[in-house]
Amino acid sequence: MALVTRIKEYRENSGMKQAELAELVNARRETIVHLESGKYNPSLKLAMDIAKVFGVTVEELFEFTDA
């Protein structure tokens, strides 16, 4: 199973830079880069913190696929 994320879409739509999002969720910019590229699965806390920034649910940001 692969994790598909919509973080980049939400981040760009809000005009936010990766570093800005990282600061808001107390993470490194590199973590956001890896999340957006699907190379990193976030902890539940990080996923919830990111969802809270954008005012959406975790399920709206992340989805597992059979890819």
Side-chain angles (χ1 to χ4, degrees):
M1 293 187 104
L3 181 66
V4 175
T5 177
R6 293 181 184 85
I7 295 173
K8 184 174 183 178
E9 174 187 336
Y10 279 96
R11 181 182 58 75
E12 288 180 343
N13 286 342
S14 67
M16 190 180 298
K17 295 184 179 188
Q18 290 171 331
E20 293 170 324
L21 177 57
E23 188 174 326
L24 288 172
V25 297
N26 198 29
R28 295 174 56 213
R29 186 190 63 82
E30 292 82 2
T31 301
I32 303 303
V33 171
H34 291 300
L35 283 169
E36 289 183 354
S37 65
K39 295 180 181 176
Y40 177 73
N41 290 342
S43 67
L44 180 56
K45 181 183 181 332
L46 181 55
M48 292 178 78
D49 287 347
I50 294 170
K52 190 180 218 180
V53 166
F54 297 118
V56 298
T57 65
V58 172
E59 293 84 0
E60 289 177 87
L61 281 181
F62 301 98
E63 178 184 350
F64 279 104
T65 64
D66 291 330

